[in-house]
Amino acid sequence: MHANRQLHANRRRRIGAVAAAALLAGLFSAPAGHAAEPRRTVENLDRGLVAVPSGEGTFLSWRLLGTEYARHGNAIAFNVYKNGRRLNRAPVINSTTYQDNTRGTGTYTVRAVINGRERKASSSALDFSRGYAEIPLTTADGYSVQHAWPGDLDGDGRYELVVSRLSQARDKPDLLEAYTLTGERLWRVDLGPGSYTQAGGNGANDPAPAAISGSTAIGGYRNDDNVTVYDLDSDGKAEVLVHTADGTTFADGATVTASSPANQFVSVIDGATGTERARQPVPDDFVADGPSGGHFGIAYLDGQHPSLVTKLVTRVGAKRGAFRILLQTWDFDGTDLTRRWKYVVPSGSGATGFHQIRTVDVDQDGTDEIADGNYVVGSDGTLRYVVDGAGHGDRFHIADLDPDRPGLEGFAIQQAELGVLPKFPWYYYDADTGERLVTGQHPADWENDTDIDVGRGSTGDIDPDHPGYEYWTSTADVTAPGAGVYNVQDGKVSTTTPSVNFRIWWDGDKASELLDYTHVEKWNPATQSSAKIFNPSGVVSGARNATPFYGDLVGDWREEILAETADHTALRLYTTTEPTKTRLYTLAQNPEYRLGWTVRGYLQSTYTDYYLGTETRRVPKPSITLPEGAVSRDDHA
């Protein structure tokens, strides 16, 4: 009996797969992709299936992998299973979601259907039975989570999280901890006295040498991060890269010992165990100025392999003294951390850093550049451009903002404070050349710094009546020439503005929603106002009104929100249950988007390197590949 049932089940499965292939052949054609070479080595992710209570049943969401989309385009369908029984009559082709209203609980899996063949079952769904996944934090009184970095630390295809836990005291060290999405703590690294004790320097705001943030009571710049997470040696398991100093203690008890408390290092930490694998001293160019703050990130400088990028910053002299900036890039082969190139930003060049970096292929030649505010450094470590007339601002954004214009564009704001006056409040520019395309104007009758200061700015496709993205700032005076919402093609489209913190893809359309504090808003162009569409209880935001992380961590292409509970004892991961007819490969395997997770500072919105908005119809195939010898987790029948 059992054998006959299995035979019929296999036959039904095969018929469904053939039907799906036929349907897909008629409905989809593979879009043109980027050049075949070079191809970036990316993470070997699993299906990322999640099961969330919704309506009268369970909402299921999973990944279309970028690696399989690169090979097969849209000729991929899915079958959904509960306790081994297929739920869908016809293969799912229009999205990577499914609403199950059958009775009872069960274990969910999905299977891809490619070229008429059903592939192996995914791992079982991640449990969101409370409407979110809860990750308990190990006791650390007085601490809160500032940032979280995703990475596949153990090589199982599912992301884990590395989090920075900070105190507001002058006698407690910064902590790095790693957790699974199911709530297991893997390890803790104690950054030691070097994370809260200043150790020399000639500025008024010198960072502690091992500090992983400047948002505590100790000196440093509030945008400092000095941590990132990525699989640098492409062995399938991510490493953690961090500034360390004398007294840093790793998960196995090993401690950094240095000849001076001011000495700084870059350490490579094993993501699975929390133990140190390699260490190098930071460049000594700024030693006379004291320890450096700054940012970490990842870039593909050769187009194929990831490299670590460290931005070192010191401030010479008193509080309003000049900043000095050095970029150092590093490679890790599994054993040794080696220097690739170094670039010291020349004084007098006009290059001015912002509060974070972005690593992105601005000229779309396959290799990444490093954008730092109003200037860009090329993949070879030479200055590419400085935006004419631009100075310092808090945030900037780079993406394909205009679908009808070749290449990528950028939007940046300009700050005014303590007598440092910008020439304009914001600018929209060509990300490849730095040419300003549209430039904002100051009010004609401004009287003091605050009249022309722009502290925040954002961009996203929030108005479907106009092609491309919109951009806007936090300018309070709605009568000012630079205030309001602007469309990249049609100019000013609103005199009022929505929140300016983050753009997020949350509901079922391809337009952007807005994330501020812990809630999601939807902008209504007709009323020029916003309404909350998601507002979880019991969680709080942190510095800059930001949650520790948001992004496409699990499920389909839409983004999740990671927030800390109000009592600081747990993290909660929220995912959308909004239905959608849009199907895209996971954003986590888009080159620009994934690298956006590796940089922090003042946390910024993340973007894809192709146009993703209301007008998106066909998505280019990513030029990516799995590590050598790796086989896709869902590639077998």
Side-chain angles (χ1 to χ4, degrees), residues 48-298:
L49 178 64
V50 295
V52 193
S54 178
E56 299 299 317
T58 301
F59 181 80
L60 304 170
S61 176
W62 62 91
R63 294 183 179 114
L64 170 65
L65 297 169
T67 47
E68 66 187 352
Y69 179 70
R71 293 195 305 272
H72 306 293
N74 276 317
I76 306 168
F78 293 95
N79 288 329
V80 184
Y81 290 84
K82 180 179 182 179
N83 295 328
R85 175 176 172 270
R86 198 173 85 188
L87 298 176
N88 53 299
R89 292 185 178 181
V92 179
I93 58 174
N94 290 324
S95 73
T96 49
T97 66
Y98 187 85
Q99 178 70 31
D100 172 36
N101 291 327
T102 61
R103 294 180 179 178
T105 60
T107 299
Y108 293 97
T109 58
V110 294
R111 291 174 178 262
V113 180
I114 304 174
N115 296 326
R117 298 184 64 191
E118 190 178 64
R119 303 303 175 99
K120 69 177 183 178
S122 69
S123 301
S124 58
L126 185 65
D127 179 25
F128 276 67
S129 59
R130 288 183 282 188
Y132 51 81
E134 181 146 308
I135 303 167
L137 296 168
T138 305
T139 301
D141 292 340
Y143 280 78
S144 60
V145 174
Q146 184 182 29
H147 292 313
W149 293 262
D152 183 2
L153 303 181
D154 56 11
D156 66 352
R158 175 182 286 177
Y159 283 122
E160 286 75 42
L161 297 170
V162 175
V163 303
S164 56
R165 300 187 73 184
L166 311 176
S167 77
Q168 296 301 319
R170 285 184 171 269
D171 59 354
K172 290 185 177 181
D174 294 349
L175 305 174
L176 273 183
E177 296 179 338
Y179 292 88
T180 69
L181 295 184
T182 55
E184 177 189 359
R185 195 191 85 174
L186 300 177
W187 48 260
R188 172 183 286 174
V189 171
D190 184 323
L191 276 300
S195 66
Y196 62 83
T197 305
Q198 291 169 295
N202 59 10
N205 201 29
D206 298 305
I212 54 177
S213 173
S215 291
T216 61
I218 306 306
Y221 313 106
R222 289 171 295 174
N223 54 272
D224 287 352
D225 50 60
N226 303 315
V227 183
T228 197
V229 178
Y230 209 78
D231 182 7
L232 277 186
D233 60 356
S234 298
D235 69 347
K237 299 179 181 181
E239 289 78 45
V240 180
L241 300 312
V242 61
H243 265 170
T244 55
D246 188 57
T248 295
T249 302
F250 302 99
D252 60 352
T255 302
V256 174
T257 301
S259 59
S260 166
N263 290 352
Q264 288 180 289
F265 305 94
V266 175
S267 288
V268 180
I269 297 174
D270 187 284
T273 65
T275 58
E276 189 181 36
R277 295 175 61 183
R279 184 195 315 162
Q280 285 282 3
V282 303
D284 59 6
D285 301 66
F286 297 164
V287 165
D289 299 325
S292 300
H295 310 299
F296 280 23
I298 300 295

Side-chain angles (χ1 to χ4, degrees), residues 531-593:
K532 292 180 182 178
I533 61 174
F534 178 72
N535 190 19
S537 61
V539 290
V540 294
S541 58
R544 329 306 298 180
N545 302 333
T547 61
F549 174 82
Y550 89 95
D552 182 15
L553 197 60
V554 293
D556 69 7
W557 59 277
R558 292 171 295 175
E559 297 174 290
E560 284 67 49
I561 300 168
L562 182 74
E564 190 174 15
T565 56
D567 61 5
H568 304 291
T569 63
L571 295 169
R572 290 178 182 172
L573 182 65
Y574 297 91
T575 189
T576 183
T577 56
E578 292 287 329
T580 182
K581 294 295 185 182
T582 296
R583 190 176 85 157
L584 303 171
Y585 75 85
T586 176
L587 304 186
Q589 287 188 327
N590 177 262
E592 178 181 354
Y593 185 91

Side-chain angles (χ1 to χ4, degrees), residues 274-468:
T275 58
E276 189 181 36
R277 295 175 61 183
R279 184 195 315 162
Q280 285 282 3
V282 303
D284 59 6
D285 301 66
F286 297 164
V287 165
D289 299 325
S292 300
H295 310 299
F296 280 23
I298 300 295
Y300 285 72
L301 301 173
D302 66 358
Q304 295 177 283
H305 309 99
S307 297
L308 171 65
V309 177
T310 61
K311 171 189 171 183
L312 303 183
V313 182
T314 62
R315 197 167 201 173
V316 181
K319 184 176 182 180
R320 303 307 304 166
F323 287 104
R324 299 184 64 200
I325 300 173
L326 177 153
L327 297 173
Q328 172 74 60
T329 58
W330 310 79
D331 294 327
F332 179 62
D333 63 4
T335 302
D336 298 316
L337 182 67
T338 57
R339 292 175 170 86
R340 188 177 183 92
W341 54 252
K342 179 178 67 178
Y343 178 75
V344 178
V345 177
S347 60
S349 65
T352 303
F354 281 29
H355 289 287
Q356 60 282 303
I357 60 174
R358 287 187 183 272
T359 53
V360 57
D361 182 5
V362 297
D363 57 3
Q364 299 186 305
D365 69 348
T367 62
D368 291 323
E369 286 73 44
I370 302 162
D372 181 24
N374 74 344
Y375 71 98
V376 168
V377 173
S379 59
D380 61 352
T382 61
L383 184 65
R384 185 176 181 87
Y385 66 74
V386 177
V387 177
D388 180 49
H392 168 73
D394 267 17
R395 298 187 185 183
F396 67 103
H397 310 269
I398 294 176
D400 189 357
L401 305 180
D402 185 346
D404 298 328
R405 189 179 186 279
L408 306 181
E409 295 79 35
F411 174 66
I413 61 171
Q414 297 283 267
Q415 278 193 285
E417 60 179 354
L418 300 178
V420 179
L421 305 178
K423 296 180 180 179
F424 34 79
W426 53 259
Y427 54 97
Y428 169 61
Y429 64 106
D430 184 299
D432 181 17
T433 66
E435 176 191 2
R436 283 187 280 117
L437 305 173
V438 183
T439 304
Q441 297 179 6
H442 290 315
D445 56 351
W446 67 273
E447 296 180 359
N448 52 58
D449 293 2
T450 58
D451 293 334
I452 60 173
D453 177 51
V454 178
R456 290 287 180 274
S458 192
T459 182
D461 181 13
I462 60 172
D463 190 339
D465 295 329
H466 300 274

